[in-house]
C-alpha cells in the first residue's frame, strides 16, 4: 500500500532549451520478463547507440525501486527523463520530471498507451526512441490529485477496483485487451460499495450517491469510449464521470457500451467538464480514501482536490505530427 505524500516543490519553468544537447536517461521496470520486453530493450539500445547522444539506460529490479532510481537520475544527470513502460512507469517518471522541470519522453510498452498515442508517439520501440533523440518539446497539461500528478485518469470506487483486479489478471494471464475485458466482467459480478459524496465542480456544489467517480485527462481515451467530454479534455479541462448505484445487469450494459464506444448514451451516467473539483464524504466518514492514479492505487486524505494544470509538463513529441494510432 502506498500512502500519499506531499510532492516536491515544482521548480519554475526553465527557458527554452536545446534538447539535443541534454543527456538522456531511459528508465525501465524489470517486473515483466516477456520476450516482447526483451525485444523492445534491444531495439531501444540499438536506436540510442545510433543516435550518438549521451545516453544511459537504468532498470529497476523491483517496481518500488523505480521512484528512487528516477530521482537519483534527475539529481546526477539532469536532462531528458525517458519512461519505457506502461502507465505506472510513465506516471513515476513524469512526476519527477514535472517536479524538477525536466523534459519528459515516452517509449510506450503498455497495453493501451493512451498518453503516447494521443501525442502521436509511435508504438514501435525503435521509432519511439528516435522521437526521444530527434523530437521537439511540447508543453502539455496534466491532472493533479492532492498535488499528485496523473497523465490519463484518476478514480475512486468501482473503476478503481476494475483497474486493481485487471492488473492481477494480466499478471496471471497476460497483458492483452481481452484479458482486461474478461477481468472487468468478473469484477462486476461482485457486490460494490455506494459512496455518499459531496462534490464541488468549479464552484457548483452538489451531493450524490455514486459507485465510482472517474476523472479523465486523456482526450483519446474519452473518444474511444464515445464521450463528448473528449472536447473538454482537448481544451485543457477534466472529464468528470459519476455513476450512481446500478444493478449488475446495468453495469454489464455499461461495460458493453464502453467497449462499443457508445457511453454517451449510457443511462444515469453523470458527465461534467471541470477545471477543479473538490470531493468529500457527505456524512463525515473516515478521512482517507483509496484512489487509482494512472492505474496505481494509493491512499489519499480527504477532501480530494482534483484539477487540470495547463502547460505543466515538457514532453518530447515527434518533430512532424503523426496520425494518432
Amino acid at each position: 500500500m502506498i500512502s500519499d505524500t506531499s510532492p516536491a516543490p515544482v521548480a519554475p519553468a526553465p527557458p527554452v532549451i536545446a534538447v539535443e544537447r541534454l543527456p538522456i536517461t531511459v528508465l525501465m521496470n524489470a517486473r515483466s520478463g516477456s520476450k516482447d520486453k526483451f525485444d523492445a530493450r534491444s531495439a531501444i539500445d540499438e536506436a540510442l547507440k545510433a543516435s550518438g547522444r549521451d545516453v544511459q539506460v537504468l532498470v529497476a529490479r523491483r517496481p518500488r525501486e523505480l521512484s528512487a532510481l528516477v530521482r537519483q537520475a534527475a539529481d546526477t544527470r539532469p536532462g531528458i527523463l525517458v519512461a519505457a513502460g506502461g502507465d505506472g512507469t510513465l506516471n513515476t517518471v513524469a512526476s519527477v520530471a514535472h517536479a524538477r522541470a525536466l523534459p519528459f519522453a515516452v517509449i510506450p510498452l503498455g497495453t493501451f498507451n493512451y498518453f503516447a498515442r494521443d501525442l502521436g508517439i509511435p508504438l514501435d520501440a525503435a521509432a519511439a526512441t528516435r522521437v526521444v533523440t530527434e523530437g521537439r518539446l511540447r508543453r502539455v497539461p496534466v491532472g493533479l490529485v492532492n498535488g499528485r500528478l496523473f497523465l490519463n485518469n484518476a478514480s475512486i470506487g468501482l473503476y478503481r477496483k476494475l483497474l486493481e483486479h485487471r492488473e492481477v489478471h494480466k499478471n496471471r494471464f497476460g497483458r492483452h485487451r481481452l484479458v482486461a475485458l474478461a477481468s472487468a466482467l468478473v469484477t462486476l459480478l461482485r457486490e460494490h460499495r455506494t459512496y455518499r459524496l459531496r462534490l464541488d465542480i468549479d464552484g457548483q456544489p452538489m451531493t450524490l450517491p455514486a459507485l465510482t467517480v472517474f476523472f479523465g485527462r486523456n482526450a483519446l481515451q474519452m473518444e474511444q469510449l464515445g464521450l463528448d467530454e473528449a472536447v473538454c479534455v482537448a481544451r485543457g479541462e477534466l472529464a468528470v464521470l459519476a455513476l450512481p448505484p446500478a444493478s449488475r445487469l446495468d453495469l454489464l450494459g455499461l461495460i458493453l457500451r464502453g467497449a462499443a464506444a457508445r457511453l454517451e448514451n449510457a443511462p444515469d451516467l453523470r458527465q461534467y467538464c471541470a477545471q477543479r473539483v473538490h470531493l468529500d464524504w457527505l456524512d463525515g466518514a473516515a478521512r482517507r480514501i483509496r484512489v487509482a492514479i494512472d492505474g496505481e492505487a494509493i491512499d489519499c486524505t480527504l477532501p480530494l482536490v482534483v484539477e487540470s494544470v495547463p502547460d505543466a509538463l515538457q514532453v518530447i513529441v515527434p518533430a512532424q505530427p503523426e496520425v494518432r494510432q
Side-chain angles (χ1 to χ4, degrees):
M1 180 184 296
I2 305 173
S3 295
D4 64 325
T5 56
S6 298
V10 178
V16 175
I17 54 178
V19 291
E20 67 274 8
R21 298 179 184 176
L22 292 175
I24 297 170
T25 303
V26 179
L27 297 118
M28 305 181 70
N29 192 331
R31 177 173 57 180
S32 173
S34 68
K35 181 180 183 298
D36 288 345
K37 287 292 175 68
F38 285 123
D39 291 345
R41 173 64 191 272
S42 298
I44 292 168
D45 287 342
E46 289 179 9
L48 290 173
K49 183 178 180 180
S51 74
R53 298 281 296 273
D54 176 8
V55 301
Q56 182 180 47
V57 178
L58 300 177
V59 180
R61 287 181 284 184
R62 299 178 182 84
R64 64 176 178 270
E65 296 175 357
L66 182 62
S67 182
L69 196 64
V70 181
R71 291 194 299 270
Q72 180 183 0
D75 290 338
T76 59
R77 284 169 51 86
I80 301 169
L81 298 179
V82 186
D87 286 349
T89 300
L90 267 62
N91 182 284
T92 299
V93 179
S95 296
V96 176
H98 174 246
R100 307 292 178 87
L102 293 174
F104 172 63
V106 176
I107 301 173
L109 302 177
T111 303
F112 296 99
N113 301 306
Y114 285 123
F115 183 77
R117 291 162 59 198
D118 197 38
L119 295 175
I121 295 169
L123 301 186
D124 175 75
T129 305
R130 287 192 290 273
V131 170
V132 175
T133 60
E134 302 170 6
R136 61 182 176 86
L137 275 182
R138 172 180 165 184
R139 288 189 173 272
V140 304
V142 300
L144 296 178
V145 177
N146 287 6
R148 291 187 65 103
L149 176 144
F150 65 94
L151 300 174
N152 291 320
N153 56 67
S155 62
I156 65 167
L158 177 57
Y159 188 79
R160 188 264 301 169
K161 290 182 180 179
L162 289 172
L163 295 177
E164 287 186 328
H165 295 162
R166 184 181 75 185
E167 192 64 22
V168 172
H169 291 137
K170 282 185 176 181
N171 288 337
R172 182 175 180 183
F173 300 111
R175 309 189 75 80
H176 305 290
R177 297 190 184 199
L178 287 178
V179 173
L181 179 59
S183 175
L185 295 176
V186 170
T187 302
L188 291 182
L189 296 176
R190 304 178 181 182
E191 293 290 336
H192 302 293
R193 173 183 178 183
T194 297
Y195 293 80
R196 298 180 66 242
L197 300 172
R198 178 185 295 111
L199 294 175
D200 184 294
I201 299 178
D202 284 343
Q204 297 297 317
M206 65 183 70
T207 61
L208 75 160
L211 290 175
T212 192
V213 181
F214 173 95
F215 303 94
R217 210 352 312 138
N218 187 281
L220 178 60
Q221 185 179 25
M222 298 298 101
E223 288 175 9
Q224 294 198 343
L225 291 173
L227 290 166
D228 293 338
E229 279 70 25
V231 176
C232 304
V233 174
R235 69 180 183 227
E237 297 177 299
L238 297 169
V240 184
L241 310 177
L243 178 66
S247 68
R248 289 186 179 89
L249 184 60
D250 288 339
L251 292 175
L252 175 60
L254 192 70
I255 289 291
L256 295 177
R257 285 176 183 273
R262 294 180 59 84
L263 272 186
E264 80 282 0
N265 297 323
D268 300 327
L269 181 64
R270 301 192 182 188
Q271 306 171 44
Y272 311 93
C273 294
Q275 197 69 39
R276 185 180 178 92
V277 178
H278 287 248
L279 180 151
D280 204 349
W281 300 127
L282 181 61
D283 52 8
R287 305 313 299 161
R288 306 284 287 178
I289 191 169
R290 199 151 175 79
V291 183
I293 296 180
D294 284 340
E296 300 291 329
I298 68 168
D299 286 333
C300 291
T301 302
L302 289 167
L304 293 183
V305 178
V306 188
E307 56 192 322
S308 181
V309 183
D311 299 332
L313 185 65
Q314 304 172 89
V315 183
I316 296 184
V317 299
Q320 299 295 328
E322 297 190 5
V323 176
R324 294 192 309 193
Q325 305 170 62

